[in-house]
Amino acid sequence: MILLDIGGGNQPHIEKDYQTISTDRHDFSTDFKDLDAEFKQHDLLTPQPFEDNSIDKIWCHHVLEHLPHQLPDGRDALVFVMDEIGRILKPGCEAHIIVPWIEHTNAWRHPAHYRFFNYDMFNWFNHNNPTPDHEAYDYTHKMELVKNWIQDDCHVYAIFKGL
């Protein structure tokens, strides 16, 4: 089974019984000599280098807040990345997403935080809560929001299931 750590840098999320692949836009390949994981350099603003429905678990921890608002072609970057997560996630498998909560000072501390997340933000991506503008934003891959909560009064933690 494959666990993809999106933006994992040189400290990938590793879980027992999973082969971990960590992606990041920076080259951390030399840091992976002693890690039980594989590294792929990848820019999130381009399509994920994985086949449709090929990933068993996705871990995306403190990455989405660093996305710019738009791709070079004008599409929304967050919608694009979430659509890619839905594309590569196997049906029935989970994507775990953690971002700073807008109400906590840590959300505002880092100069490269371009996006801010409240409790309801991930409901927009929930297949069970469709909105008329999904099509307008080119959001096509379906995921179910299984759980969404404020963790430690500091983070928004969302778990999606691939459909």
Side-chain angles (χ1 to χ4, degrees):
M1 294 192 309
I2 298 174
L3 183 153
L4 174 62
D5 187 350
I6 296 174
N10 63 350
Q11 298 178 340
H13 181 80
I14 296 174
E15 291 185 22
K16 185 180 179 191
D17 299 327
Y18 285 93
Q19 171 197 350
T20 297
I21 300 172
S22 180
T23 60
D24 202 284
R25 69 182 177 138
H26 302 289
D27 185 1
F28 291 105
S29 57
T30 57
D31 297 335
F32 273 66
K33 297 181 277 205
D34 300 322
L35 294 176
D36 189 20
E38 177 184 341
F39 176 78
K40 290 185 183 227
Q41 190 170 4
H42 174 255
D43 183 346
L44 272 179
L45 303 181
T46 62
Q48 287 285 338
F50 303 99
E51 298 293 322
D52 294 2
N53 305 317
S54 63
I55 304 296
D56 299 289
K57 190 171 194 177
I58 294 175
W59 182 258
C60 187
H61 183 218
H62 287 282
V63 174
L64 301 181
E65 66 271 18
H66 297 278
L67 291 174
H69 291 284
Q70 290 186 328
L71 299 173
D73 66 7
R75 289 181 293 164
D76 185 275
L78 178 62
V79 173
F80 172 79
V81 170
M82 291 297 292
D83 201 42
E84 280 293 290
I85 288 172
R87 180 184 68 78
I88 64 175
L89 186 63
K90 285 182 180 176
C93 294
E94 293 181 346
H96 292 248
I97 299 171
I98 302 172
V99 293
W101 180 39
I102 193 170
E103 298 293 328
H104 195 275
T105 57
N106 285 345
W108 303 91
R109 278 192 185 150
H110 198 289
H113 284 186
Y114 301 113
R115 292 180 173 267
F116 301 98
F117 296 83
N118 65 22
Y119 175 78
D120 282 328
M121 178 64 138
F122 290 111
N123 282 318
W124 191 90
F125 300 98
N126 187 0
H127 173 66
N128 294 332
N129 184 30
T131 66
D133 59 351
H134 278 176
E135 189 175 309
Y137 279 90
D138 294 325
Y139 184 72
T140 58
H141 292 91
K142 298 174 181 170
M143 296 187 291
E144 175 186 356
L145 183 60
V146 176
K147 193 170 181 185
N148 185 39
W149 71 98
I150 304 299
Q151 182 182 47
D152 303 327
D153 290 327
C154 187
H155 303 98
V156 177
Y157 196 128
I159 300 174
F160 285 92
K161 181 173 73 173
L163 298 176

